[in-house]
Amino acid sequence: MLRQRTLKKIVKTTGIGLHSGTKVELSLRPAAVDTGIVFRRIDQAEPVDLPLRADAVGDTRMATTLQKGDVRVSTVEHLLSACAGLGIDNLYVDVTAEEIPIMDGSAATFVFLLQSAGVEEQDALKKFIRVKKMVEVRDSDRGGEKWARVDPYFGFKMSYSIDFAHPAIDATGQVVEIDFADVSYVKDVARARTFGFMHDAEALRAMGLGRGGSLDNAIVLDEYRILNHDGLRYEDEFVRHKALDAIGDLYALGHPLIGAYSAHRSGHAVNNALIRKLIDDSEAWEIVTFSDESVAPRGFVRAHHEALAAL
Ligand SMILES: [Zn+2]
């Protein structure tokens, strides 16, 4: 059977916030069955819990942010992507600042952290959200059309395209298609880093964003080329990172998605609008569980065993 999962023990790390530039301590702690993923600001007078839910996502400018009153936790998408990739259902995420540390700009450090804690199977069936009909969100902006949709599909696959008029990005490909029946999240997605342009850095800083950004935690581009001396980790690392982000954004549903996700230039805002529209339409989805692995989607079963074996 496919069971819910948490961690075997507490793990901790320290890093800096990409946007704030300040130091953040992060602890990941095991949580009971059906807890979901709960972010906790432990630097407040009284700790404040921010449970992960589609409608708890507030500001989506440059990152996915959970908000409760004045208390926020932002840049949650890379950690959530790692949790989705390793199938972690129940987890407490304690942080000492309003941002999850950026680490190396990918999900690889979080994957390593989760794996070093060890994945614990729990005494309850894992819940999945199965898409029953197509749901789509379109958003026209000055730069053109953005959209994202989910369709029924027995497994999880994604198709993502970007459209950057930049020679270095164009040379690496602007489309990625991944079917997790055959592809390993840990090997083929988790290491893709976020990216940014030198000419945006100043404007972002004026908005109070991007202060912690550097060549250590992002691919940085000038008008023509990549400035990182070591080059890229994947041939199509730019668009692959967008897929990594989308996996994290979709995980705000609270459960893994059984369906096909496709998107064009969809950022955190469009992804969040998509999952809210899906959740609001009770005919578009259902919760399913698998007491018999042999009838579960192949990719989920393989990823399940991979995560448990990675210790
Ligand atoms: Zn990202």
Side-chain angles (χ1 to χ4, degrees):
M1 70 170 88
L2 291 179
R3 296 170 184 270
Q4 293 183 28
R5 293 186 220 172
T6 187
L7 298 185
K8 281 194 160 62
K9 59 172 192 188
I10 300 178
V11 277
K12 298 181 183 200
T13 191
T14 305
I16 59 157
L18 174 63
H19 294 303
S20 60
T22 54
K23 188 178 152 192
V24 193
E25 285 166 37
L26 174 77
S27 308
L28 306 178
R29 293 188 290 118
V33 161
D34 290 330
T35 303
I37 296 185
V38 178
F39 290 83
R40 177 173 286 180
R41 282 283 301 273
I42 57 169
D43 56 321
Q44 305 289 299
E46 289 281 321
V48 178
D49 280 355
L50 296 103
L52 178 65
R53 293 166 47 110
D55 60 5
V57 175
D59 189 356
T60 46
R61 222 175 24 155
M62 306 305 291
T64 297
T65 301
L66 298 180
Q67 194 141 5
K68 187 198 260 181
D70 292 340
V71 181
R72 311 153 39 103
V73 178
S74 78
T75 322
V76 297
E77 60 271 16
H78 300 167
L79 173 59
L80 290 181
S81 185
C83 289
L86 294 184
I88 305 293
D89 300 282
N90 304 306
L91 186 68
Y92 287 108
V93 180
D94 295 351
V95 275
T96 59
E98 69 165 39
E99 205 174 354
I100 300 295
I102 188 66
M103 311 314 287
D104 72 342
S106 78
T109 322
F110 298 122
V111 166
F112 176 76
L113 202 60
L114 294 165
Q115 285 179 332
S116 60
V119 176
E120 173 96 340
E121 290 201 289
Q122 296 175 287
D123 201 13
L125 285 170
K126 186 179 183 79
K127 294 170 185 156
F128 296 83
I129 291 181
R130 188 179 79 79
V131 178
K132 289 167 64 184
K133 70 174 205 202
M134 192 274 277
V135 174
E136 182 176 58
V137 170
R138 282 186 179 270
D139 178 27
S140 303
D141 67 359
R142 281 164 296 168
E145 189 82 0
K146 301 177 178 183
W147 57 264
R149 61 186 274 178
V150 286
D151 287 278
Y153 176 70
F154 195 64
F156 179 59
K157 68 176 179 181
M158 50 200 316
S159 166
Y160 196 105
S161 55
I162 51 177
D163 184 13
F164 282 95
H166 187 286
I169 297 178
D170 205 33
T172 66
Q174 309 232 32
V175 183
V176 68
E177 298 206 0
I178 302 169
D179 187 331
F180 286 95
D182 310 307
V183 170
S184 153
Y185 172 85
V186 172
K187 287 194 205 103
D188 301 318
V189 177
R191 296 175 63 245
R193 289 163 297 172
T194 192
F195 56 96
F197 301 94
M198 283 298 284
H199 63 87
D200 287 340
E202 224 165 276
L204 282 176
R205 270 162 217 196
M207 287 161 69
L209 297 168
R211 289 198 182 109
S214 76
L215 291 166
D216 293 330
N217 54 35
I219 310 167
V220 183
L221 300 128
D222 68 10
E223 275 173 65
Y224 308 102
R225 61 200 171 93
I226 297 162
L227 301 180
N228 307 60
H229 292 302
D230 294 339
L232 298 179
R233 293 176 174 179
Y234 301 111
E235 245 174 66
D236 57 354
E237 191 171 353
F238 301 101
V239 70
R240 212 160 266 261
H241 183 79
K242 293 294 187 180
L244 181 158
D245 277 341
I247 292 167
D249 287 343
L250 293 176
Y251 211 49
L253 283 165
H255 304 289
L257 195 72
I258 296 180
Y261 163 88
S262 35
H264 178 61
R265 297 180 60 238
S266 160
H268 305 301
V270 173
N271 288 337
N272 187 247
L274 177 69
I275 62 173
R276 286 186 189 217
K277 190 170 173 184
L278 174 68
I279 286 297
D280 285 347
D281 183 350
S282 60
E283 290 181 2
W285 59 278
E286 63 180 358
I287 296 277
V288 295
T289 59
F290 297 98
S291 48
D292 177 1
E293 277 181 27
S294 69
V295 297
R298 181 159 60 97
F300 285 109
V301 176
R302 190 184 39 84
H304 188 79
H305 291 291
E306 245 175 40
L308 291 171
L311 308 175

